[in-house]
Amino acid sequence: MFDDLPPDLPRLRTLETWLALTLDRVRKQITTLERQEQERQHGEQARPPEPDWLIEYGLNRDAIPNAVHVGWCRMAGKRSKPTDSDTARRAIAGGVTACGFCRPDSELGILDG
């Protein structure tokens, strides 16, 4: 029948126990990975949309804007707040620095003067 299995009952029972324990571990790992994947997908779906524009502010409480970024820019600091294109345009026109990495001035159609 099956030549690769032990010929006696005690070793077959041991093998059966080992396989049952191993199958239990595999099923638990599958459950864990499925839960993690569901959480990851939920996180992606629940993530708020990326803003179109960001204005980055300085350190102090009454901080003034110190840079304008495109919404996807990873150079924007943690003190950045979403804004609309008109506000971003006015900020650059008013002297706020346009990020040299994401170039919001080019994206907004503001020509270097």
Side-chain angles (χ1 to χ4, degrees), residues 64-107:
I64 58 171
N66 62 11
V68 176
H69 300 271
V70 177
W72 54 259
C73 184
R74 300 301 172 237
M75 302 302 284
K78 293 184 179 189
R79 293 175 311 277
S80 298
K81 296 185 177 158
T83 192
D84 58 73
S85 60
D86 290 336
T87 305
R89 232 183 241 103
R90 283 194 306 272
I92 293 172
V96 177
T97 303
C99 173
F101 178 74
C102 64
R103 300 298 313 265
D105 48 351
S106 296
E107 293 286 328

Side-chain angles (χ1 to χ4, degrees), residues 32-48:
T32 298
L33 293 176
E34 286 175 341
R35 181 178 36 79
Q36 289 173 351
E37 178 62 18
Q38 287 174 349
E39 289 171 358
R40 186 193 64 76
Q41 288 177 358
H42 175 71
E44 285 180 6
Q45 293 169 355
R47 183 179 296 138

Side-chain angles (χ1 to χ4, degrees), residues 2 4-6 9-28:
F2 295 103
D4 59 338
L5 295 176
L9 191 56
R11 286 192 286 176
L12 282 172
R13 291 287 182 206
T14 301
L15 182 58
E16 178 185 39
T17 301
W18 181 82
L19 288 170
L21 292 171
T22 301
L23 182 58
D24 186 49
R25 286 180 54 217
V26 168
R27 286 179 174 157
K28 284 179 182 177

Side-chain angles (χ1 to χ4, degrees), residues 54-60 63 65-67 76-82:
L54 295 168
I55 294 184
E56 184 174 355
Y57 292 86
L59 290 171
N60 63 11
N66 62 11
K78 293 184 179 189
R79 293 175 311 277
S80 298
K81 296 185 177 158

